[in-house]
Amino acid sequence: MSVLSRLTRTISQLSNMSKPFLLYTFPTPNGVKVSAFLEELKTVYPSIQYDVESINFSKNTQKEPWFIKLNPNGRIPVLVDRSRNNFTVFETGAILLYLQQHYDKENNFGWDPKENPDEYSQSLQWIFFAHGGVGPMQGQLNHFNKAAPIDIPYAKKRYLDETKRLYGVLEIRLSQDRDWLVGPGRGVYSIADINVLAWVRVHAFGGIESLDEWPNVKKWVEAAHARPGFSAGLDVGRS
């Protein structure tokens, strides 16, 4: 599709106000974070509806000029909020926080920073943990196992060991009589979970065949998959 055709299509989509959101995505771990949360929001707030534009990595669509205008970093996902003057949000953590703060009116999936400052802070801590640790490390593990042009045993071992260590951090947290990462008692399912579950659930792709080494993490992933909302978001954007 030419740049002109793509721009025309985008303008048409932005002018179509039938659904509040337009999501540019593909079902990678980062893409799944946002689609899974949107689907979870839909289960509570039926007005949360969105259109999807699948981004074709094989054609490097995310690097085309029209997309760079939406996200200068040239990465998915990108969310356009049509109900707020086509406000654009990129970076998965920022999108999750944006959606939770603006559209989760009952705070089913997060916490108000004024009413529950401790839980809000803990949620941010686990979101940043995923962005600084699990995502980058497991992403590199995936790359060196699946995409690197040459075999580099050192790199494969380094990122495998670090990803396993980070799974161990999650295991420590969940082994403290918890079902979810944040919240009182056994915890409350929230964007803090969604943000890292999207990576851990595809552990086998990078060479971690089983989660048996981390039984509480395994149970946590299984519990998320049992949720209709989370499961509905796992394949959004596959053309």
Side-chain angles (χ1 to χ4, degrees), residues 154-205:
Y154 168 78
K156 292 163 74 171
K157 183 179 186 302
R158 168 179 165 76
Y159 291 113
L160 175 63
D161 290 347
E162 182 61 8
T163 300
K164 286 185 171 183
R165 186 191 72 80
L166 294 166
Y167 284 12
V169 175
L170 292 167
E171 178 69 17
I172 290 170
R173 177 64 168 172
L174 293 167
S175 68
Q176 298 167 346
D177 293 323
R178 303 190 67 85
D179 296 319
W180 309 106
L181 293 174
V182 181
R186 299 195 65 85
V188 177
Y189 176 76
S190 73
I191 57 173
D193 298 287
I194 295 170
N195 188 58
V196 66
L197 277 162
W199 278 102
V200 179
R201 62 174 292 272
V202 293
H203 55 88
F205 186 82

Side-chain angles (χ1 to χ4, degrees), residues 32-44 50 109 189 194 223-236:
V32 162
K33 294 180 187 184
V34 176
S35 55
F37 186 38
L38 282 166
E39 292 295 331
E40 290 282 13
L41 286 171
K42 284 170 59 178
T43 67
V44 181
Y50 62 104
F109 303 101
Y189 176 76
I194 295 170
H225 279 168
R227 296 181 61 90
F230 184 84
S231 295
L234 300 182
D235 208 39
V236 171

Side-chain angles (χ1 to χ4, degrees), residues 6 18 23-25 31 72 74 94 109 111 119 162 168 184 202 208 226 228:
R6 178 69 70 173
S18 62
L23 178 64
Y24 296 92
T25 193
F109 303 101
W111 291 268
E119 287 83 0
E162 182 61 8
V202 293
I208 301 175

Side-chain angles (χ1 to χ4, degrees), residues 9-31:
R9 181 175 179 180
T10 301
I11 291 170
S12 174
Q13 289 171 325
L14 291 176
S15 64
N16 176 8
M17 299 298 291
S18 62
K19 295 182 180 179
F21 303 103
L22 171 59
L23 178 64
Y24 296 92
T25 193
F26 192 78
T28 64
N30 284 330

Side-chain angles (χ1 to χ4, degrees), residues 79-139:
L79 182 77
V80 177
D81 187 345
R82 292 163 167 160
S83 65
R84 298 189 68 246
N85 198 30
N86 294 327
F87 187 75
T88 301
V89 193
F90 63 87
E91 287 296 326
T92 54
I95 297 173
L96 295 180
L97 287 165
Y98 176 87
L99 287 169
Q100 196 280 316
Q101 291 170 357
H102 283 277
Y103 296 102
D104 181 17
K105 300 300 185 182
E106 299 171 5
N107 290 316
N108 287 287
F109 303 101
W111 291 268
D112 183 282
K114 293 183 179 179
E115 294 182 2
N116 301 99
D118 291 351
E119 287 83 0
Y120 180 76
S121 175
Q122 290 173 352
S123 178
L124 291 182
Q125 291 170 47
W126 286 104
I127 288 172
F128 294 167
F129 163 80
H131 279 275
V134 177
M137 296 301 102
Q138 191 169 331

Side-chain angles (χ1 to χ4, degrees), residues 35-62:
S35 55
F37 186 38
L38 282 166
E39 292 295 331
E40 290 282 13
L41 286 171
K42 284 170 59 178
T43 67
V44 181
Y45 311 100
S47 63
I48 301 294
Q49 300 292 328
Y50 62 104
D51 290 316
V52 176
E53 173 76 8
S54 179
I55 298 301
N56 191 331
F57 290 170
S58 67
K59 296 182 179 179
N60 228 21
T61 303
Q62 74 278 13

